[in-house]
Amino acid sequence: MAYPVHRLRRLRKNENIRRLVRENHISVDDLIYPLFIEEGENIKKEIPSMPGIYRWSLDRIDEELDQVSDLGIPAVLLFGIPQHKDQIGSETWNEEGIIQKAIRHIKENHPDLYVITDVCFCEYTEHGHCGVLHGHDVANDPTLENTKKQVVSHAQAGADMVAPSGMMDGVVKAIREALDEAGFTEIPVMAYSAKYASAYYGPFRDAADSAPAFGDRRTYQMDPANRREALREVSFDIEEGADIVMVKPALSYLDIISDIKREFKLPVAAYNVSGEYSMIKAAGKLGWIDENKVMMETVLSMKRAGADIIITYHAKEIAKILKGQT
């Protein structure tokens, strides 16, 4: 029986009843905050295309970390910007590299924070691609060998979790084997399992100096037109030992998040990427939208689609709203 016996508006009468029947909630516990850490001193450099987001040097990073801790955000995701780049990204496994030093600094000064490291090469290579080149393409298996060295180096520095983002075939298996052989069996892997070759990454490439010097990344990142392929990528990563799987970007790929959540039992992360962040910031600055309301609705859509974890540059703003600070 439908109307008039059933009137769905009964459960929308006021805020209290809406709260009681609300199906999804955003919590600070859902959030991971990305950080850009640049080699050098006295650096706090705002990223022009990402208002409110900065590159930090280690001698100033506590300004940001203190806020993150005070807001109760449980985890950070680290991206490094080194001074030295080469053809293979060898700085990624340098024990005195910027990420390795950042991990040690955070674990010593902010032991409450859970430290996740992005595992890739694009910020560290002269050509800006995500591994070892063979001609104008990334050679998969040689890149896996270097990835093993990178993750072991991160683990030795004290990383709590590693997150491979390069979309190399077999990368989770390679990482799991390398970590286990080095004695780091307890370190989990959050795989960028369904990472699409997206135009939404533009501001990030400004932030991390990671734009490719030629071509694009469509030979290793996924075609935005493909949906079923994402399930294959995720299933392979799970077989290889992934502990968490990720969809990136999030907002234009809510169907992918939903498919993965329905099909698999692992935690699902959504990466609310730089372009999604910057569009809200730009429209908010122009007064075209209510920035905070659109921001919260956006991340709620990711939660509703099935995301257990949301990686977002809005994390501090969201946490402040949840704490009633804005």
Side-chain angles (χ1 to χ4, degrees):
M1 299 175 66
Y3 173 85
V5 173
H6 294 289
R7 294 175 180 261
L8 297 182
R9 290 179 59 191
R10 292 173 187 147
L11 301 184
R12 303 172 194 155
K13 182 74 172 177
N14 57 45
E15 180 59 16
N16 284 341
I17 187 60
R18 291 193 295 269
R19 287 171 58 197
L20 285 170
V21 300
R22 190 160 289 149
E23 298 174 26
N24 293 282
H25 299 80
I26 296 295
S27 165
V28 71
D29 297 336
D30 301 327
L31 306 176
I32 296 173
Y33 186 50
L35 288 173
F36 298 101
I37 305 178
E38 183 172 358
E39 203 161 16
E41 296 180 352
N42 195 31
I43 298 169
K44 180 186 177 182
K45 186 187 305 178
E46 188 172 31
I47 299 157
S49 56
M50 298 177 70
I53 303 299
Y54 297 82
R55 292 187 187 186
W56 299 90
S57 55
L58 278 181
D59 59 341
R60 296 194 62 178
I61 190 65
D62 289 326
E63 299 173 35
E64 184 80 313
L65 294 172
D66 287 343
Q67 289 188 56
V68 173
S69 293
D70 290 345
L71 289 167
I73 296 167
V76 292
L77 175 60
L78 305 185
F79 296 89
I81 299 101
Q83 290 181 342
H84 171 72
K85 300 187 180 192
D86 60 24
Q87 284 295 302
I88 60 173
S90 62
E91 193 70 10
T92 60
W93 62 84
N94 178 0
E95 65 179 25
E96 292 302 319
I98 183 59
I99 284 296
Q100 289 79 358
K101 289 190 288 188
I103 296 166
R104 292 193 291 267
H105 177 90
I106 297 170
K107 299 312 290 185
E108 179 178 350
N109 295 282
H110 296 272
D112 56 312
L113 287 176
Y114 192 83
V115 178
I116 307 167
T117 58
D118 178 76
V119 175
C120 198
F121 296 94
C122 56
E123 304 104 302
Y124 298 85
T125 55
E126 294 168 334
H127 47 74
H129 280 281
C130 299
V132 178
L133 287 186
H134 179 71
H136 276 191
D137 196 13
V138 174
N140 195 92
D141 295 359
T143 299
L144 295 185
E145 294 304 310
N146 288 344
T147 303
K148 292 179 183 179
K149 291 184 278 190
Q150 183 179 169
V151 295
V152 170
S153 177
H154 290 185
Q156 290 170 338
D160 294 301
M161 178 187 287
V162 295
S165 61
M167 289 297 288
M168 295 297 110
D169 291 338
V171 69
V172 174
K173 181 176 185 288
I175 287 173
R176 186 73 271 156
E177 289 176 350
L179 290 174
D180 290 355
E181 288 171 6
F184 297 105
T185 57
E186 300 303 314
I187 292 183
V189 177
M190 177 169 64
Y192 286 65
S193 298
K195 181 179 179 181
Y196 286 84
S198 172
Y200 283 95
Y201 303 148
F204 174 90
R205 291 171 183 170
D206 294 338
D209 286 344
S210 64
F214 58 86
D216 53 41
R217 297 185 174 127
R218 288 182 293 176
T219 66
Y220 41 104
Q221 295 176 0
M222 286 182 59
D223 186 338
N226 291 359
R227 184 172 181 173
R228 295 190 303 271
E229 185 185 8
L231 297 179
R232 295 188 68 202
E233 286 280 6
V234 169
S235 66
F236 291 160
D237 282 355
I238 291 172
E239 288 177 18
E240 292 175 16
D243 300 282
I244 299 171
V245 294
M246 186 201 298
V247 177
K248 181 181 181 183
L251 190 56
S252 289
Y253 298 85
L254 297 178
D255 57 327
I256 309 302
I257 296 171
S258 180
D259 288 349
I260 292 168
K261 185 66 173 183
R262 185 167 53 249
E263 188 76 16
F264 304 102
K265 303 304 179 185
L266 269 68
V268 179
Y271 201 137
N272 179 207
V273 299
S274 59
E276 298 166 356
Y277 171 89
S278 296
M279 289 191 301
I280 289 175
K281 285 293 179 183
K285 183 177 180 179
L286 290 169
W288 291 349
I289 60 171
D290 183 318
E291 183 178 319
N292 284 348
K293 287 183 178 179
V294 171
M295 173 184 70
M296 296 302 289
E297 186 176 337
T298 297
V299 294
L300 183 62
S301 74
M302 299 165 197
K303 192 71 181 289
R304 189 183 65 245
D308 303 287
I309 297 164
I310 299 171
I311 304 164
T312 178
Y313 303 98
H314 293 293
K316 291 195 303 176
E317 299 165 281
I318 294 168
K320 289 176 183 176
I321 289 172
L322 295 174
K323 286 177 171 285
Q325 294 183 9
T326 58

